[in-house]
Short mmCIF file of all heavy atoms in Angstrom, two decimals:
data_model
loop_
_atom_site.label_atom_id
_atom_site.label_comp_id
_atom_site.label_asym_id
_atom_site.label_seq_id
_atom_site.Cartn_x
_atom_site.Cartn_y
_atom_site.Cartn_z
N ALA A 160 3.80 21.01 0.83
CA ALA A 160 3.46 20.02 1.97
C ALA A 160 4.25 18.60 1.55
O ALA A 160 4.65 17.86 2.45
CB ALA A 160 2.02 19.78 1.99
N LEU A 161 4.03 18.30 0.33
CA LEU A 161 4.55 16.89 -0.16
C LEU A 161 6.18 16.97 0.08
O LEU A 161 6.80 16.02 0.48
CB LEU A 161 4.31 16.73 -1.58
CG LEU A 161 2.84 16.43 -1.71
CD1 LEU A 161 2.47 16.16 -3.28
CD2 LEU A 161 2.27 15.40 -0.97
N ALA A 162 6.75 18.11 -0.30
CA ALA A 162 8.31 18.09 -0.13
C ALA A 162 8.66 17.93 1.36
O ALA A 162 9.69 17.30 1.69
CB ALA A 162 8.72 19.56 -0.58
N HIS A 163 7.87 18.43 2.19
CA HIS A 163 8.24 18.44 3.61
C HIS A 163 8.02 16.83 4.06
O HIS A 163 8.73 16.29 4.78
CB HIS A 163 7.18 19.19 4.45
CG HIS A 163 7.52 19.18 5.95
ND1 HIS A 163 8.71 19.52 6.48
CD2 HIS A 163 6.67 18.79 6.99
CE1 HIS A 163 8.60 19.32 7.81
NE2 HIS A 163 7.45 18.91 8.19
N ILE A 164 6.93 16.20 3.58
CA ILE A 164 6.68 14.88 3.80
C ILE A 164 7.98 14.02 3.37
O ILE A 164 8.54 13.17 4.20
CB ILE A 164 5.47 14.26 3.20
CG1 ILE A 164 4.13 14.88 3.90
CG2 ILE A 164 5.32 12.75 3.23
CD1 ILE A 164 2.96 14.62 3.29
N GLU A 165 8.42 14.22 2.26
CA GLU A 165 9.51 13.59 1.71
C GLU A 165 10.92 13.89 2.56
O GLU A 165 11.67 13.04 2.80
CB GLU A 165 9.84 13.96 0.23
CG GLU A 165 8.80 13.51 -0.70
CD GLU A 165 8.59 11.96 -0.84
OE1 GLU A 165 9.37 11.19 -0.38
OE2 GLU A 165 7.53 11.54 -1.43
N PHE A 166 10.93 15.14 2.97
CA PHE A 166 12.16 15.59 3.77
C PHE A 166 12.20 14.62 5.15
O PHE A 166 13.20 14.18 5.46
CB PHE A 166 12.14 17.06 4.08
CG PHE A 166 13.44 17.56 4.69
CD1 PHE A 166 14.54 17.81 3.88
CD2 PHE A 166 13.61 17.72 6.09
CE1 PHE A 166 15.68 18.12 4.38
CE2 PHE A 166 14.82 18.22 6.51
CZ PHE A 166 15.80 18.41 5.72
N VAL A 167 10.95 14.63 5.71
CA VAL A 167 10.90 13.84 6.95
C VAL A 167 11.07 12.32 6.60
O VAL A 167 11.71 11.66 7.33
CB VAL A 167 9.68 14.12 7.67
CG1 VAL A 167 9.40 13.25 8.95
CG2 VAL A 167 9.45 15.64 8.12
N ALA A 168 10.55 11.94 5.47
CA ALA A 168 10.86 10.50 5.16
C ALA A 168 12.20 10.08 4.85
O ALA A 168 12.62 8.94 5.20
CB ALA A 168 10.00 10.22 3.78
N ILE A 169 13.08 11.13 4.56
CA ILE A 169 14.59 10.72 4.47
C ILE A 169 14.92 10.40 5.91
O ILE A 169 15.61 9.32 6.13
CB ILE A 169 15.37 12.05 3.98
CG1 ILE A 169 14.90 12.44 2.58
CG2 ILE A 169 16.87 11.63 4.03
CD1 ILE A 169 15.63 13.83 2.15
N GLU A 198 13.84 8.69 -1.15
CA GLU A 198 13.09 9.83 -0.41
C GLU A 198 13.86 11.12 -0.73
O GLU A 198 13.29 12.18 -1.07
CB GLU A 198 12.88 9.59 0.98
CG GLU A 198 12.24 8.36 1.57
CD GLU A 198 10.83 8.01 1.01
OE1 GLU A 198 10.45 8.70 0.04
OE2 GLU A 198 10.27 7.14 1.67
N HIS A 201 12.97 12.09 -4.12
CA HIS A 201 11.59 12.70 -4.25
C HIS A 201 11.58 14.11 -3.77
O HIS A 201 10.94 14.91 -4.31
CB HIS A 201 10.69 11.94 -3.27
CG HIS A 201 10.58 10.40 -3.67
ND1 HIS A 201 9.99 9.48 -2.94
CD2 HIS A 201 10.92 9.80 -4.95
CE1 HIS A 201 9.93 8.35 -3.60
NE2 HIS A 201 10.57 8.48 -4.80
N PHE A 202 12.43 14.34 -2.71
CA PHE A 202 12.48 15.79 -2.07
C PHE A 202 13.10 16.67 -3.22
O PHE A 202 12.44 17.72 -3.40
CB PHE A 202 13.37 15.70 -0.96
CG PHE A 202 13.64 17.10 -0.46
CD1 PHE A 202 12.63 17.90 0.23
CD2 PHE A 202 14.83 17.84 -0.81
CE1 PHE A 202 12.87 19.21 0.56
CE2 PHE A 202 14.96 19.01 -0.43
CZ PHE A 202 14.04 19.81 0.26
N LEU A 205 10.49 17.42 -5.92
CA LEU A 205 9.44 18.35 -5.56
C LEU A 205 10.05 19.69 -5.42
O LEU A 205 9.44 20.74 -5.72
CB LEU A 205 8.91 17.75 -4.17
CG LEU A 205 8.02 16.55 -4.41
CD1 LEU A 205 7.67 15.85 -3.17
CD2 LEU A 205 6.68 16.79 -5.22
N ILE A 277 7.03 9.13 -7.89
CA ILE A 277 7.02 8.86 -6.32
C ILE A 277 6.17 7.74 -6.08
O ILE A 277 6.51 6.89 -5.24
CB ILE A 277 6.69 10.25 -5.70
CG1 ILE A 277 7.69 11.28 -5.89
CG2 ILE A 277 6.35 9.98 -4.24
CD1 ILE A 277 7.45 12.69 -5.30
N GLU A 281 6.98 4.46 -3.81
CA GLU A 281 6.33 4.22 -2.60
C GLU A 281 5.74 2.80 -2.44
O GLU A 281 5.56 2.31 -1.38
CB GLU A 281 5.29 5.29 -2.25
CG GLU A 281 5.82 6.72 -2.10
CD GLU A 281 6.91 6.89 -1.03
OE1 GLU A 281 7.12 6.06 -0.20
OE2 GLU A 281 7.75 7.90 -1.27
#
Side-chain angles (χ1 to χ4, degrees):
L161 296 178
H163 183 60
I164 289 171
E165 297 294 350
F166 192 80
V167 176
I169 299 170
E198 309 297 18
H201 298 167
F202 172 78
L205 290 165
I277 292 175
E281 296 305 339

